[in-house]
C-alpha cells in the first residue's frame, strides 16, 4: 500500500490555526485605527491615505523598527502574552517621536514555533493597545510558524512604524544651545532593554523564581519584569505643541549617557545630576544580586529614566506643567554646557542618586 504524501501540517505548520489566530485578532486591530486607514485586516498590504499629509508644507516621513529582546522569555515563562506588544510599540514609536515625528501607523511580525491562536491574538491585543496609547494605527502584520527552528512555546516579535514631521520642525542636535535644561521623564521600570543581564543576574546567579514575592517591589519578580514599557509619544508631541523643545532622547539599550549623547552637538555637553532622582527598586536589586558595578548598570539599563527632553531654560515651567497634567513624572535633571576639551564626553553624570 503506498505511503501517504507529506503535508504542510505534517511538517509542523498549521494553516487552520493561523487562520483562527487572524479571526481572533481582528477585534483588537479594529480598535487601533486612525481615520486615514483604508480597508481592513486581511489584505496583502495595509493602506493609509497619504492625502492627509497635504496639510504639511514639506512633510518628512520617519521610519523605525525594533523588537523587545529577551523580554519575550519572561512573557513565555509567565504565560502572559497580552502586554509584550505594548513594549514593542513603545520601542518603535518613541524612536520616531525623538525627531518630532507623529507616529502614523505600525506593522508587526510575530514568529512562533507553533501557532496557538489565542496566544497570538493576545500578543496582537497588546500591540493594538500600545498603538492606541501612541495615537497610531496598526495597519497589518505577519505571523510566521517556524517548526524545527523554534520550540513549540518559543516566539519573538518585531515591528516597524512610520511617522511624519514638518521639515522645518525636525528636532535634534542642531537646535541645542548652551543653557538649555535637560528634563527627565520617569520610566515604568526596566522597559525592554538589558534583560539578558537581568536574567543572568536574577535567574542564573541569584536563583530567583518568577513567582518570588519581593518586598522591595511590592509584587512578584515576574510581575515587575513584565511591567510594560511606558509609551511617551503623545506626551512628547504635547510638549512640542505647548512650548519650545530642542531635542528628545529615548533611553533604551546603552543606557542614559549613551543615548543622550546621540543628540548632543559637537562643542557642547549635557551634565546630568544623579541626585535629582531615585531609580526604582528593581535597578538596585539587579546591582546587588549580581554585584554589578554602577557603570555597568548605567550603560545597560535606563536607571529610571525612559525619555529626556532638552528645552530652553524659559520653557521648563511650561514643560513640567504639561507633563504633570498628563500624568508623567518629570524633573529637571541637568543642563547643557560648553564642552571644555575636544575629547571630553558628550554626557557627564555627576553626584549620587537620592536615597
Amino acid at each position: 500500500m503506498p505511503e501517504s504524501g507529506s503535508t504542510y501540517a505534517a511538517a509542523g505548520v498549521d494553516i487552520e490555526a493561523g487562520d483562527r489566530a487572524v479571526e481572533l485578532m481582528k477585534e483588537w486591530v479594529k480598535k487601533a485605527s486612525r481615520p486615514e486607514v483604508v480597508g481592513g485586516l486581511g489584505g496583502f498590504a495595509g493602506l493609509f491615505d497619504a492625502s492627509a499629509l497635504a496639510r504639511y508644507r514639506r512633510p518628512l516621513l520617519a521610519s523605525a523598527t525594533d523588537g523587545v529582546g529577551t523580554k519575550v522569555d519572561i512573557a513565555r515563562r509567565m504565560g502572559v502574552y497580552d502586554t509584550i506588544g505594548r513594549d514593542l510599540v513603545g520601542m518603535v514609536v518613541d524612536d520616531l517621536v525623538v525627531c518630532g515625528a507623529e507616529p502614523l501607523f505600525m506593522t508587526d511580525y510575530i514568529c512562533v514555533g507553533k501557532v496557538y491562536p489565542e496566544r497570538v491574538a493576545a500578543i496582537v491585543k497588546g500591540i493594538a493597545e500600545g498603538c492606541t496609547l501612541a495615537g497610531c494605527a496598526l495597519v497589518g502584520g505577519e505571523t510566521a510558524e517556524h517548526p524545527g527552528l523554534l520550540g513549540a512555546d518559543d516566539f519573538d516579535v518585531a515591528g516597524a512604524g512610520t511617522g511624519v514631521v514638518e521639515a522645518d520642525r525636525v528636532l535634534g542636535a542642531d537646535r541645542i544651545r548652551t543653557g538649555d535644561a535637560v528634563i527627565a521623564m520617569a520610566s515604568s521600570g526596566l522597559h525592554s532593554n538589558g534583560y539578558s543581564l537581568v536574567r543572568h543576574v536574577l535567574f542564573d546567579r541569584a536563583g530567583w523564581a518568577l513567582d518570588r514575592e519581593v518586598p522591595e517591589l511590592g509584587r512578584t519578580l515576574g510581575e515587575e519584569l513584565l511591567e510594560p514599557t511606558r509609551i511617551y509619544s503623545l506626551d512628547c508631541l504635547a510638549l512640542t505643541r505647548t512650548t519650545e523643545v530642542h531635542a528628545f532622547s529615548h533611553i533604551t539599550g546603552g543606557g542614559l549617557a549613551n543615548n543622550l549623547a546621540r543628540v548632543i552637538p559637537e562643542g557642547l555637553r549635557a551634565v546630568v545630576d544623579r541626585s535629582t532622582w531615585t531609580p526604582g527598586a528593581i535597578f538596585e536589586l539587579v546591582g546587588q544580586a549580581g554585584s554589578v558595578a554602577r557603570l555597568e548598570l548605567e550603560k545597560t539599563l535606563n536607571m529610571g529614566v525612559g525619555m529626556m527632553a532638552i528645552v530652553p531654560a524659559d520653557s521648563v515651567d511650561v514643560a513640567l506643567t504639561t507633563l504633570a497634567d498628563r500624568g508623567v513624572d518629570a524633573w529637571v535633571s541637568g543642563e547643557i554646557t560648553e564642552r571644555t576639551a575636544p575629547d571630553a564626553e558628550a554626557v557627564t553624570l555627576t553626584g549620587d542618586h537620592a536615597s
Side-chain angles (χ1 to χ4, degrees), residues 193-243:
N193 305 104
Y195 273 75
S196 293
L197 173 65
V198 171
R199 289 163 55 247
H200 170 69
V201 167
L202 298 181
F203 301 156
D204 300 339
R205 293 195 57 172
W208 288 11
L210 286 168
D211 61 358
R212 178 190 180 107
E213 291 285 348
V214 184
E216 296 93 331
L217 301 175
R219 54 182 170 176
T220 68
L221 177 64
E223 289 169 336
E224 176 71 24
L225 297 186
L226 211 55
E227 177 69 32
T229 300
R230 176 150 200 161
I231 296 173
Y232 301 92
S233 57
L234 292 182
D235 305 315
C236 291
L237 291 173
L239 275 188
T240 65
R241 290 192 297 268
T242 58
T243 193

Side-chain angles (χ1 to χ4, degrees), residues 157-201:
V157 295
T162 298
V164 62
V165 60
E166 193 71 73
D168 61 6
R169 295 184 64 83
V170 173
L171 305 179
D174 61 313
R175 292 178 178 264
I176 296 175
R177 300 290 183 266
T178 301
D180 283 354
V182 180
I183 293 176
M185 301 179 218
S187 68
S188 58
L190 294 167
H191 284 184
S192 300
N193 305 104
Y195 273 75
S196 293
L197 173 65
V198 171
R199 289 163 55 247
H200 170 69
V201 167

Side-chain angles (χ1 to χ4, degrees), residues 182-185 239 243 311 315-326 328-333:
V182 180
I183 293 176
M185 301 179 218
L239 275 188
T243 193
V311 305
S315 292
V316 167
D317 290 344
V318 174
L320 292 179
T321 298
T322 299
L323 292 170
D325 289 345
R326 297 184 60 82
V328 181
D329 184 16
W331 62 94
V332 175
S333 63

Side-chain angles (χ1 to χ4, degrees), residues 32-61:
S33 189
R34 287 174 55 118
E36 303 93 339
V37 175
V38 177
L41 191 65
F44 286 89
L47 299 176
F48 190 90
D49 186 357
S51 67
L53 306 184
R55 69 180 186 272
Y56 289 82
R57 297 182 305 278
R58 185 188 169 200
L60 299 183
L61 294 179

Side-chain angles (χ1 to χ4, degrees), residues 8-328:
Y8 212 7
V13 177
D14 189 337
I15 295 176
E16 288 74 19
D19 291 342
R20 173 162 168 72
V22 172
E23 287 301 313
L24 291 174
M25 69 177 70
K26 280 184 177 179
E27 65 170 299
W28 300 110
V29 176
K30 287 180 182 177
K31 296 178 181 180
S33 189
R34 287 174 55 118
E36 303 93 339
V37 175
V38 177
L41 191 65
F44 286 89
L47 299 176
F48 190 90
D49 186 357
S51 67
L53 306 184
R55 69 180 186 272
Y56 289 82
R57 297 182 305 278
R58 185 188 169 200
L60 299 183
L61 294 179
S63 65
T65 185
D66 211 337
V68 298
T70 58
K71 189 170 184 175
V72 296
D73 180 59
I74 308 300
R76 178 187 63 80
R77 294 171 63 171
M78 292 279 290
V80 177
Y81 301 96
D82 62 352
T83 62
I84 199 75
R86 286 170 58 183
D87 295 287
L88 176 64
V89 175
M91 290 298 98
V92 174
V93 300
D94 286 339
D95 275 355
L96 292 175
V97 82
V98 163
C99 69
E102 175 190 0
L104 298 175
F105 57 83
M106 273 192 66
T107 57
D108 64 64
Y109 178 79
I110 304 171
C111 181
V112 300
K114 178 177 175 60
V115 172
Y116 297 102
E118 291 76 13
R119 184 178 301 178
V120 173
I123 295 171
V124 174
K125 173 190 174 186
I127 297 172
E129 290 175 340
C131 286
T132 300
L133 291 171
C136 69
L138 179 60
V139 298
E142 174 71 10
T143 300
E145 194 170 21
H146 288 180
L149 295 182
L150 296 175
D153 290 331
D154 294 336
F155 76 99
D156 200 5
V157 295
T162 298
V164 62
V165 60
E166 193 71 73
D168 61 6
R169 295 184 64 83
V170 173
L171 305 179
D174 61 313
R175 292 178 178 264
I176 296 175
R177 300 290 183 266
T178 301
D180 283 354
V182 180
I183 293 176
M185 301 179 218
S187 68
S188 58
L190 294 167
H191 284 184
S192 300
N193 305 104
Y195 273 75
S196 293
L197 173 65
V198 171
R199 289 163 55 247
H200 170 69
V201 167
L202 298 181
F203 301 156
D204 300 339
R205 293 195 57 172
W208 288 11
L210 286 168
D211 61 358
R212 178 190 180 107
E213 291 285 348
V214 184
E216 296 93 331
L217 301 175
R219 54 182 170 176
T220 68
L221 177 64
E223 289 169 336
E224 176 71 24
L225 297 186
L226 211 55
E227 177 69 32
T229 300
R230 176 150 200 161
I231 296 173
Y232 301 92
S233 57
L234 292 182
D235 305 315
C236 291
L237 291 173
L239 275 188
T240 65
R241 290 192 297 268
T242 58
T243 193
E244 184 177 356
V245 177
H246 289 165
F248 290 114
S249 178
H250 188 196
I251 311 304
T252 58
L256 188 154
N258 285 341
N259 282 285
L260 184 55
R262 295 165 67 179
V263 299
I264 304 301
E266 289 292 330
L268 299 181
R269 68 169 180 161
V271 180
V272 176
D273 184 358
R274 297 185 186 95
S275 70
T276 59
W277 82 96
T278 302
I282 185 61
F283 300 99
E284 183 176 357
L285 287 172
V286 172
Q288 290 179 346
S291 299
V292 185
R294 181 167 72 179
L295 179 61
E296 186 67 21
L297 285 175
E298 290 182 337
K299 74 177 185 180
T300 307
L301 307 178
N302 67 58
M303 299 305 290
V305 178
M307 181 71 76
M308 305 192 91
I310 299 176
V311 305
D314 59 8
S315 292
V316 167
D317 290 344
V318 174
L320 292 179
T321 298
T322 299
L323 292 170
D325 289 345
R326 297 184 60 82
V328 181

